[in-house]
């Protein structure tokens, strides 16, 4: 019996590893093909374990098929546990013998126990210490095999088999849980590190690396905007870098909040931002740029009673180049934050669009700042009534 149960344990550990390989991303899929693939694997585990069971008496066999049922019921609930139990139950009936009622009732009792304890186990959380789940392994698996007592000579069979069977089932539960938990923790950490690698820590926008990755997927229907904060060095020199960081953060938040769900804002570098606009018609590109420019126009107040500056969310009306010039005597308590924007449609390719948008942005700065310029060489320029300025 011990050798058969050990062989069962080895087979279950192998299947647990195959099951862990179906988890490919974080958070795990809660529906779809991968869920049903896992259900199929769990269903097959019980049948495979019954191919080499521990023979207790003629027609009475024991194995580790309770463990995949416990996993399924704890993770997905009783309906999924019953669904996964069907192939094992059908195969047990096919094998026949006096132990059929014992096997079927034991499976049902395990699913029932797992369903009752499911709210306390939180089996889906990979950060919960595995030893805390070990406490629940025994109560979930204890009903398995108890009904053998109703067979002729059942008390002797129970005394002979129950503790080894419970120990191997609990060990399989712990090892299988360890494999799945390690896989989920790895996916969670990988997802977190990927997000950190592609996220600007200050503004919480996507960074230049993410921009370069997304750029290759631009189509001829998309557009690029380049945004630069006007006179940002003067802000840093006058108020200090902490205030400059708050300016960057506020501009980033206002630009990102003004975008459509499919569009993305990036911190391109320093005080420069980039925006990828999906499915944007060329005639509307300037209107979008003006809307973002207006959203990013803020007023920086330096309170006389405080040594620290603060950004206030009141927006200015779009200013002219003279308003953005910031003469030396400009009152520090009313310091405007404006941006210059250049844009280009991606009709001639993604990298060309970035270069053209960047050139248009520098043209906007040379023309007085606090304005948006759309590349004039776009193959689909807007009509004569547009405020688009030529980028030279």
């Amino acid at each position: 019996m011990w050798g058969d149960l050990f062989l069962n344990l080895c087979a279950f550990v192998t299947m647990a590893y195959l099951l862990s390989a179906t988890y490919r991303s974080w958070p795990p899929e809660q529906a779809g093909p991968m869920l049903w693939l896992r259900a199929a694997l769990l269903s097959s585990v019980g049948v495979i374990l019954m191919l080499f069971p521990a023979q207790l008496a003629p027609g009475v066999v024991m194995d580790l098929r309770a463990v995949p049922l416990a996993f399924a019921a704890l993770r997905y609930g009783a309906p999924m546990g019953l669904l996964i139990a069907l192939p094992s139950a059908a195969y047990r009936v096919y094998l026949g013998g006096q132990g059929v009622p014992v096997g079927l009732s034991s499976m049902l009792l395990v699913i029932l126990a797992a369903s009752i304890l499911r709210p306390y186990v939180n089996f889906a959380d990979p950060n919960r210490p595995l030893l805390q789940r070990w406490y629940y392994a025994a109560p979930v698996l204890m009903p398995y095999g108890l009904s053998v007592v109703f067979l002729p000579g059942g008390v002797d069979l129970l005394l002979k088999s129950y503790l080894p069977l419970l120990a191997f089932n609990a060990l399989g539960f712990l090892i299988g849980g360890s494999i799945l938990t390690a896989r989920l923790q790895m996916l969670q950490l990988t997802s977190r590190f990927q997000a950190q690698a592609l996220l600007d820590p200050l503004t919480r926008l996507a960074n230049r690396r993410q921009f370069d990755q997304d750029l290759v997927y631009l189509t001829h229907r998309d557009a690029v905007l380049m945004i630069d904060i006007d006179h940002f060095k003067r802000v840093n020199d006058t108020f200090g870098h902490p205030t400059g960081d708050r300016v960057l953060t506020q501009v980033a938040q206002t630009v990102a909040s003004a975008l459509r769900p499919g569009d993305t804002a990036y911190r391109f570098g320093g005080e420069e931002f980039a925006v990828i606009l999906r499915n944007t018609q060329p005639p509307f590109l300037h209107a979008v740029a003006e809307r973002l420019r207006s959203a990013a126009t803020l007023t920086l107040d330096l309170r006389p009673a405080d040594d620290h500056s603060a950004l206030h969310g009141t927006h200015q009306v779009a200013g002219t180049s003279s308003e953005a010039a910031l003469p030396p005597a400009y009152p520090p308590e009313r310091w405007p934050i404006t941006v210059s924007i250049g844009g280009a449609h991606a009709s001639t390719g993604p990298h060309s669009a970035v270069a053209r948008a960047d050139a248009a942005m520098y043209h906007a700065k040379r023309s007085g700042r606090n304005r948006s310029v759309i590349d004039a060489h776009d193959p689909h320029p807007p009509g004569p009534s547009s405020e688009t300025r030529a980028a030279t």
Side-chain angles (χ1 to χ4, degrees):
M1 179 179 68
W2 289 87
D4 293 329
L5 289 177
F6 180 75
L7 189 60
N8 247 234
L9 178 63
C10 294
F12 174 75
V13 170
T14 302
M15 295 301 295
Y17 178 79
L18 293 177
L19 178 65
S20 71
T22 66
Y23 291 94
R24 309 296 299 274
S25 61
W26 180 265
E29 305 89 340
Q30 299 298 321
M34 294 306 295
L35 174 63
W36 295 111
L37 175 60
R38 293 179 197 123
L41 282 173
L42 286 172
S43 298
S44 65
V45 171
V47 177
I48 292 173
L49 295 176
M50 281 191 287
L51 296 177
F52 32 84
Q55 190 85 25
L56 300 184
V60 182
V61 296
M62 290 296 175
D63 45 62
L64 270 65
R65 82 186 85 127
V67 183
L69 298 183
F71 277 167
L74 287 171
R75 180 68 177 87
Y76 301 108
M80 181 64 79
L82 291 171
L83 180 64
I84 288 173
L86 286 178
S88 299
Y91 188 64
R92 184 63 190 91
V93 172
Y94 169 77
L95 293 177
Q98 63 175 338
V100 171
V102 173
L104 297 182
S105 61
S106 295
M107 293 164 65
L108 289 175
L109 289 173
V110 168
I111 294 173
L112 177 61
S115 302
I116 294 173
L117 293 174
R118 183 173 179 243
Y120 307 99
V121 179
N122 195 12
F123 204 66
D125 182 10
N127 298 312
R128 186 171 187 180
L130 189 64
L131 288 178
Q132 291 186 11
R133 299 175 192 175
W134 168 262
Y135 301 148
Y136 297 99
V140 169
L141 298 169
M142 278 177 61
Y144 186 64
L146 285 178
S147 50
V148 74
V149 74
F150 297 106
L151 295 177
V155 175
D156 292 336
L157 289 177
L158 183 66
L159 294 175
K160 174 185 176 182
S161 65
Y162 182 71
L163 288 180
L165 185 64
L166 179 61
F168 272 93
N169 274 278
L171 187 60
F173 184 94
L174 181 63
I175 296 175
S178 300
I179 294 172
L180 294 175
T181 298
R183 175 71 175 181
L184 292 175
Q185 286 178 338
M186 183 195 69
L187 291 173
Q188 186 183 41
L189 289 174
T190 301
S191 176
R192 183 182 304 167
F193 292 151
Q194 286 178 341
Q196 291 175 351
L198 300 175
L199 198 68
D200 177 61
L202 175 63
T203 63
R204 311 306 295 173
L205 295 182
N207 62 14
R208 174 69 179 271
R209 186 181 291 110
Q210 181 69 71
F211 177 79
D212 292 338
Q213 291 183 12
D214 294 345
L215 190 64
V216 299
Y217 297 105
L218 255 66
T219 70
H220 66 278
R221 299 184 300 272
D222 303 328
V224 175
L225 296 177
M226 303 300 293
I227 305 172
D228 189 86
I229 301 177
D230 298 327
H231 300 291
F232 184 73
K233 184 178 184 303
R234 190 175 300 178
V235 173
N236 271 338
D237 293 343
T238 304
F239 299 115
H241 289 284
T243 295
D245 289 346
R246 290 199 295 274
V247 171
L248 289 170
T249 302
Q250 185 67 28
V251 171
Q253 290 175 351
T254 54
V255 169
S257 62
L259 297 176
R260 300 171 301 176
D263 302 331
T264 308
Y266 308 82
R267 186 181 181 190
F268 196 73
E271 69 270 25
E272 192 171 356
F273 301 90
V275 173
I276 290 180
L277 302 172
R278 303 291 182 181
N279 296 318
T280 300
Q281 296 297 324
F284 303 109
L285 184 54
H286 186 266
V288 174
E290 280 293 291
R291 177 166 55 84
L292 293 180
R293 185 189 62 79
S294 177
T297 302
L298 307 167
T299 299
L300 180 67
D301 289 347
L302 185 63
R303 302 175 184 177
D306 195 346
D307 291 333
H308 302 285
S309 56
L311 275 173
H312 290 264
T314 55
H315 291 77
Q316 286 183 276
V317 178
T320 62
S321 59
S322 61
E323 291 174 341
L326 297 179
Y330 201 91
E333 69 275 6
R334 294 288 298 169
W335 195 291
I337 301 298
T338 62
V339 297
S340 298
I341 301 179
H345 211 260
S347 306
T348 58
H351 295 286
S352 172
V354 174
R356 287 159 44 218
D358 199 53
M361 184 266 292
Y362 279 106
H363 179 73
K365 296 185 80 68
R366 290 193 301 268
S367 301
R369 296 181 174 84
N370 191 25
R371 63 187 64 207
S372 59
V373 174
I374 304 303
D375 179 67
H377 300 96
D378 195 278
H380 305 288
S385 61
S386 170
E387 298 179 20
T388 303
R389 299 170 174 85
T392 58

